[in-house]
Structure formats: C-alpha cells, structure tokens
Amino acid sequence: MVGIEITEKNDTVLALVLRDIPLEFANAIRRAALEEVLTMAIDYVVFYDNTTALSDEIIAHRIAMVPLRSDLAIDKYRRPEECRGSNPPEGCYVSLYLEAETGPQEELVIYSKDLKPQEDPEVVPVYGDIPLIKLGPQQRVVLEAWARLGRGREHIKWSPATVSVLTYIPNVRVITERCNLCRLCVERCPTKAISVVNDRIVVDSTKCNLCRQCVSVCEPEAIELDWEKDRYRLLIESSGSLKPERIFLEAVLQIKTKLLEFQRSFKEVFSGVGGGS
Amino acid sequence: MIIPVRCFTCGKVIGHLWEEFTRRVASGENPGKVLDELGVRRYCCRRMFISHVDLINEVIVYGRKV
Ligand code: SF4
Ligand code: SF4
Ligand SMILES: [Zn+2]
C-alpha cells in the first residue's frame, strides 16, 4: 500500500520514506521540486544611482539570489507563461526598493532586509541579514528590484529546493555461519555502520551509504548488500522561499497539472480519428 | 570579495551566517564547531566560509565618483 513516513522535519528540511511508489514517479517528484515549483525571485533591477565599488551587474546578481517569501505569492501572481514580453499584464511583477547613502567618513553595509517592499508586504527576503553591498565614504545606491514568479528550470534562483535527493534504503545482511570475525569490515566502513556485539557482526543499515567496501574486503563473502525494493528515501532542503512540505505538495501538483495537459492534448489528437472520447 | 549570497555548489543560502561566523571565530572559537552550530553541514558550503577573503573592505574606497 502506498505510504509516506516522515523521518525528519524542521523549517528547512523534510525527509520522507516513500513506500510502494514507483521509482520513476518518486524521481519525478524530486525533479519537480527542483525545476517546476513556482517561487518569487527578483528578475529585473533598475538602477537610479550607483557610485559604489560594486558594478550594477554584480549587485543585480547578488540581489537575485536572495530568496523571497513565496507561500502566499504563488497563488496570487501570474505564472511566468503569462508574463512574457516587454508588456506584461497586471499581476506579474512586484517591486522592492533600496536607497542608501554615506557621509564623508562613513561606511555602510546594505543587507537584504534593506530591500523594502513597495506594493506587497508579503513578498520580502526570507533572511534579512544577508550582506548585499558595502558602501565606502560618500557613495550612493538607489535601485528598484522587480520580482516575479518563475521555475527552477528557467534559472536556479527560482528553485525552492537547494537539495532534493532520492536514495535507496540499504539492507546489509551478514551471513553469520560464513563470518570468521576478522573485523576487516568494521575497520573499513567509512560511516561506522558495522560493529561487533557479543561476537557477532551487527550492521546499522540506517548509517550505510551503499559504498560496498565491506563486501569487497570480506574474504569469505559473508556480507550481502542489497537495497529495499519498495521504499525510497526523499530528502528536500528548502532555500527558505517555501516550507519543505509545501515544496513536496506543489511538486506533486505540478506533475498532476502536466499529466492533465497531456491528457487533454491526447484527447484532441484522437477526437479527430474517432478513437476516443 | 564580498561573501556570496549562496553556496556555489548546492545553492544553500549562507550570506546571512557570515558575520556571526567571523565574529565568533575572531573571538577564539573553533571554526569547525561554529559551522556545525550554524547548521552548515555539507563541505561545499563549509568551504565558502573557510576560503573566503573579505577584500570588499579594501575595494570600497574605489567607488565611481561622479
Ligand atoms: S569482513 Fe566478513 S568475515 Fe570479516 S568480520 Fe566482516 S563479515 Fe565477518
Ligand atoms: S556498504 Fe559501505 S557504508 Fe554500508 S555497511 Fe558496507 S562499508 Fe559500511
Ligand atoms: Zn553547499
């Protein structure tokens, strides 16, 4: 039976064990988390003034990498498909404003929290303490940054997940009758998953990373290494723009939307031939 | 030159941790321990801290005078 078990969950990390979900589908969720889920990120920066040592391009690139809160924005703003061209419709972009100036003796660090939302107070940097620019004496920077929804496949700045990995769950078995207790496997295991308890080799499969070094070092071939066929581990680490559990849900929704689109075009093709309805 | 916003390799946001990292290391704490406590686990992210030189402080005087 299909099942999901949470093994770790906090503000940025979600670790799940997926049961009876085909590998291909689990991997589709993993990829969708990286590439398909919508988030807000800054895409245009208009400079009104910049006399700092950092060029406009460097500043624009740094600002674009700052994750913006997206949990409310993904339902509120238009999708990137609707925002193409030089004349995007209402509801595509939202702007943040930054203005700073230093006196003759002054130095000043500009942080991500200094990017002030103009229209929408919900779309703000997730982390306020990221240093963006440093100003020397008598320098000035004034800019407007325009954010829109986008997907990780267009540019990684829109990806809500910094890590999204699917791994096998190892299953290490020791055949006790063959084992001569030479302990070579204990020494070799890089994750210290193998230990000796009461003159028996005991393996903690949760620590194993499937490197197979124990198998290659074991003379009497007493170790069998395998992985579980019906369970996979999915780990999602969030950039902060969305909660990791939301990333998972949105990834599933994105796949569903694509399948429905596929179904619709499939029906269109066949409605002409009279094959399906 | 100035601490990158994210890790070059994995994309984890690290910029906001830089000032706490330097402050604590300057006060004598072990850099490895500070990174552990800041939740910087992967070594791609850890090298962002230990290999960074904050040259920005020398560059800021060369602003574009207008
Ligand atoms: S290497 Fe093989 S024989 Fe030696 S202790 Fe490990 S399992 Fe037993
Ligand atoms: S496969 Fe590698 S990590 Fe797993 S138990 Fe063997 S040596 Fe340890
Ligand atoms: Zn990293």
Side-chain angles (χ1 to χ4, degrees):
Chain A
M1 205 189 72
V2 171
I4 294 176
E5 186 193 315
I6 298 173
T7 49
E8 190 189 343
K9 183 181 170 303
N10 59 40
D11 266 2
T12 51
V13 176
L14 177 70
L16 301 170
V17 171
L18 308 173
R19 188 163 13 90
D20 275 342
I21 295 176
L23 179 61
E24 297 75 10
F25 189 67
N27 194 45
I29 299 175
R30 178 193 76 79
R31 289 190 68 127
L34 287 170
E35 298 179 347
E36 300 294 340
V37 176
L38 295 162
T39 66
M40 272 302 202
I42 287 160
D43 200 33
Y44 281 102
V45 183
V46 182
F47 285 86
Y48 296 107
D49 197 1
N50 176 19
T51 58
T52 70
L54 297 173
S55 63
D56 297 0
E57 289 82 356
I58 290 181
I59 295 174
H61 277 110
R62 290 181 66 78
I63 291 178
M65 297 315 290
V66 174
L68 302 176
R69 236 190 97 187
S70 307
D71 48 345
L72 299 164
I74 42 178
D75 297 322
K76 203 151 104 190
Y77 294 95
R78 285 177 192 269
R79 294 157 157 262
E81 297 83 41
E82 302 170 82
C83 297
R84 293 215 182 91
S86 55
N87 227 334
E90 263 312 280
C92 278
Y93 285 89
V94 57
S95 72
L96 295 99
Y97 186 71
L98 173 72
E99 181 167 9
E101 196 168 1
T102 44
Q105 303 298 324
E106 207 184 341
E107 286 180 3
L108 183 68
V109 180
I110 310 293
Y111 295 93
S112 44
K113 59 173 170 266
D114 299 322
L115 282 166
K116 299 287 181 229
Q118 302 214 89
E119 303 93 4
D120 189 345
E122 314 280 6
V123 181
V124 282
V126 181
Y127 305 100
D129 294 326
I130 306 170
L132 292 176
I133 316 168
K134 187 160 182 180
L135 272 65
Q138 273 188 318
Q139 291 176 1
R140 189 168 119 95
V141 62
V142 185
L143 61 86
E144 206 171 71
W146 293 82
R148 70 162 166 88
L149 287 179
R151 295 188 161 88
R153 75 171 125 100
E154 186 181 345
H155 190 292
I156 198 69
K157 67 187 175 188
W158 278 296
S159 179
T162 51
V163 168
S164 178
V165 284
L166 190 68
T167 42
Y168 294 119
I169 298 176
N171 188 359
V172 196
R173 281 187 314 277
V174 180
I175 301 156
T176 324
E177 304 85 65
R178 288 196 203 154
C179 171
N180 59 18
L181 280 175
C182 68
R183 289 166 207 236
L184 282 175
C185 57
V186 182
E187 285 162 32
R188 183 61 78 87
C189 177
T191 62
K192 305 209 170 11
I194 311 178
S195 53
V196 188
V197 181
N198 295 334
D199 280 341
R200 277 174 79 108
I201 296 291
V202 179
V203 186
D204 179 359
S205 286
T206 59
K207 286 188 187 164
C208 174
N209 65 8
L210 285 167
C211 72
R212 302 197 73 89
Q213 294 199 48
C214 52
V215 177
S216 66
V217 87
C218 179
E219 279 285 326
E221 298 185 351
I223 300 183
E224 276 182 357
L225 193 58
D226 204 357
W227 57 86
E228 309 211 357
K229 296 294 181 284
D230 56 346
R231 299 198 301 157
Y232 303 101
R233 201 181 282 142
L234 178 69
L235 177 80
I236 295 177
E237 186 190 87
S238 163
S239 70
S241 52
L242 293 172
K243 291 265 174 289
E245 60 271 24
R246 183 79 190 270
I247 299 175
F248 180 84
L249 279 178
E250 291 291 328
V252 175
L253 282 175
Q254 291 290 337
I255 296 171
K256 188 178 157 192
T257 313
K258 285 190 156 205
L259 284 173
L260 288 174
E261 269 168 34
F262 179 70
Q263 189 186 35
R264 198 175 324 115
S265 56
F266 188 82
K267 278 183 179 167
E268 264 171 34
V269 170
F270 279 92
S271 63
V273 196
S277 57
Chain B
M1 186 160 72
I2 181 168
I3 185 73
V5 176
R6 297 185 184 219
C7 169
F8 289 152
T9 304
C10 71
K12 179 183 162 71
V13 184
I14 49 137
H16 61 304
L17 305 172
W18 171 249
E19 290 186 350
E20 181 176 350
F21 173 77
T22 42
R23 183 166 36 75
R24 287 174 63 176
V25 171
S27 74
E29 284 190 60
N30 177 303
K33 195 178 130 267
V34 177
L35 289 176
D36 288 343
E37 286 171 12
L38 291 175
V40 183
R41 290 179 302 136
R42 292 184 287 279
Y43 49 84
C44 57
C45 310
R46 292 169 85 93
R47 65 86 208 262
M48 298 303 291
F49 291 86
I50 56 177
S51 65
H52 178 66
V53 183
D54 230 9
L55 285 176
I56 184 74
N57 294 315
E58 284 156 49
V59 177
I60 49 170
V61 291
Y62 304 107
R64 284 171 283 169
K65 298 282 181 298
V66 274

